[in-house]
Amino acid sequence: MKNTIVLLGILLFGLSLSAQTHVFKPLPYGYDALEPYIDAQTMEIHYSRHHQGYYNKFMATIKGNAFLERASMADIFARIDEFPDAVRNNGGGYWNHEFFWEGMTNGGKPLPDGELKNRIVKQYGSFEEFVSAFSESALSVFGSGWTWLIADENGLQIVNTANQDNPLMNTAVQKGIPLLALDVWEHAYYLKYQNKRSDYIANFLKVVDWQKVDARYRAAQK
Ligand code: MN3
């Protein structure tokens, strides 16, 4: 009897874990880890208020919808036009920020030799020219949005999305697999940089984890 209760407890615990598809992951580093390029106060507000806010609203919005509660974010984004704007805006805000945090690391990491580096050089001429193109794109976002490096059937693309949209959404003009994201909403940089978005972009590029971007590219080729 006692064993049965223990087994039942393990089973219920397992079910409760599997029930929670969408989790609010801890920031992969401390608030001050990306100083001085991204300041601790901005990180704290961005993560604990903005990102958490999108997650909370997303969870409240999807409550009771079996598909939205269980499906992966990629599967949800692939059908995003079927759902209310609150799912698109808050689901995008939830996923985009997690992806953004995971693409940065203390001190940054250089792009290793390999297929992504070769592809960048082939398409853009050099890594430096690619960085200029990415920066220009981020500078050109009008209003709130994101800049992405994506992989699609033609290779690499630099694309911008408005609001909390992303290139996984079936509504996106240019769809693809995200490799790198840059948040260019003013809340991402205004405290430290005010209107100087170009300085923020230049400093973001100093903390990019290109090893991670390379790993994402390799995963996208499979
Ligand atoms: Mn943001």
Side-chain angles (χ1 to χ4, degrees):
M1 183 62 188
K2 196 180 169 197
N3 282 348
T4 309
I5 290 169
V6 169
L7 280 174
L8 194 64
I10 290 169
L11 182 69
L12 286 173
F13 181 67
L15 280 174
S16 71
L17 280 182
S18 67
Q20 185 75 310
T21 303
H22 308 298
V23 294
F24 188 64
K25 284 196 205 164
L27 198 64
Y29 33 69
Y31 291 135
D32 63 353
L34 307 180
E35 288 267 14
Y37 307 111
I38 297 181
D39 62 289
Q41 194 187 9
T42 297
M43 264 325 272
E44 179 167 5
I45 294 170
H46 202 173
Y47 172 77
S48 70
R49 299 197 212 163
H50 293 278
H51 190 193
Q52 177 88 63
Y54 289 120
Y55 175 75
N56 292 351
K57 285 183 199 150
F58 175 68
M59 295 307 282
T61 302
I62 66 170
K63 206 167 172 56
N65 181 314
F67 170 75
L68 292 172
E69 283 183 337
R70 295 292 181 137
S72 70
M73 293 309 292
D75 288 346
I76 293 171
F77 293 146
R79 296 173 46 182
I80 201 69
D81 63 340
E82 298 173 33
F83 307 109
D85 283 349
V87 176
R88 176 171 168 176
N89 293 335
N90 295 303
Y94 157 48
W95 187 87
N96 294 356
H97 284 90
E98 184 182 290
F99 190 82
F100 176 50
W101 310 139
E102 291 176 352
M104 296 185 284
T105 189
N106 185 343
K109 282 186 189 157
L111 182 61
D113 289 333
E115 277 183 46
L116 177 59
K117 197 178 224 176
N118 294 344
R119 185 79 215 182
I120 284 175
V121 171
K122 190 177 170 193
Q123 272 188 244
Y124 298 92
S126 68
F127 184 74
E128 290 67 32
E129 284 173 272
F130 157 74
V131 165
S132 296
F134 186 90
S135 304
E136 259 175 57
S137 190
L139 205 52
S140 77
V141 172
F142 185 77
S144 298
W146 293 74
T147 296
W148 306 82
L149 172 64
I150 61 169
D152 68 11
E153 63 277 6
N154 299 315
L156 303 171
Q157 314 291 336
I158 297 166
V159 301
N160 294 337
T161 57
N163 304 314
Q164 295 295 352
D165 286 356
N166 68 49
L168 292 172
M169 293 181 177
N170 65 346
T171 49
V173 178
Q174 286 172 287
K175 289 180 260 305
I177 299 171
L179 305 177
L180 178 69
L182 173 56
D183 186 343
V184 287
W185 283 57
E186 282 190 347
H187 71 223
Y189 64 89
Y190 204 84
L191 269 181
K192 182 177 170 74
Y193 296 97
Q194 294 83 49
N195 60 323
K196 292 170 283 185
R197 190 194 286 179
S198 60
D199 291 356
Y200 162 67
I201 296 165
N203 280 343
F204 159 75
L205 289 160
K206 291 175 184 162
V207 292
V208 170
D209 185 346
W210 288 104
Q211 262 181 35
K212 180 81 184 198
V213 180
D214 185 65
R216 286 167 174 168
Y217 182 72
R218 279 183 279 117
Q221 303 309 299
K222 282 169 192 156

